[in-house]
Amino acid sequence: ISTTTTVDFEVVDLLELVKHIAVRPELINLIAADQVKVRAYVRGLGMACNLPGVRVFEKQTMAARKG
């Protein structure tokens, strides 16, 4: 029988982590934007959305049907 010890973590205060990273830009890779939630937020506000660090733009797509 043997045991293994590993180091693990749990984020208990996301705001404190973000504040810490905000003054240490070299740690920015520790966090990532939730693309699904950001997309929903932007869609809700449309072009009126003003999130620092987020570029909101209109995109056109073309579709054709055989008919």
Side-chain angles (χ1 to χ4, degrees), residues 7-38:
V7 177
D8 205 355
F9 72 95
E10 173 185 15
V11 176
V12 295
D13 191 332
L14 184 58
L15 183 57
E16 284 301 313
L17 176 61
V18 170
K19 287 178 186 178
H20 180 78
I21 293 171
V23 296
R24 292 165 186 83
E26 69 275 11
L27 300 177
I28 193 66
N29 290 328
L30 297 180
I31 57 175
D34 184 327
Q35 298 288 323
V36 173
K37 290 182 180 174
V38 172

Side-chain angles (χ1 to χ4, degrees), residues 6 14 24 27 29 36 39 41-42 45-46 49 52 55 58 60:
T6 58
L14 184 58
R24 292 165 186 83
L27 300 177
N29 290 328
V36 173
R39 182 174 288 111
Y41 185 79
V42 170
L45 294 176
C49 181
R55 180 175 72 98
E58 292 181 332
Q60 291 184 345

Side-chain angles (χ1 to χ4, degrees), residues 43-65:
R43 281 187 177 161
L45 294 176
M47 292 305 293
C49 181
N50 185 17
L51 284 174
V54 176
R55 180 175 72 98
V56 178
F57 58 96
E58 292 181 332
K59 182 170 67 169
Q60 291 184 345
T61 56
M62 190 179 301
R65 292 185 191 186

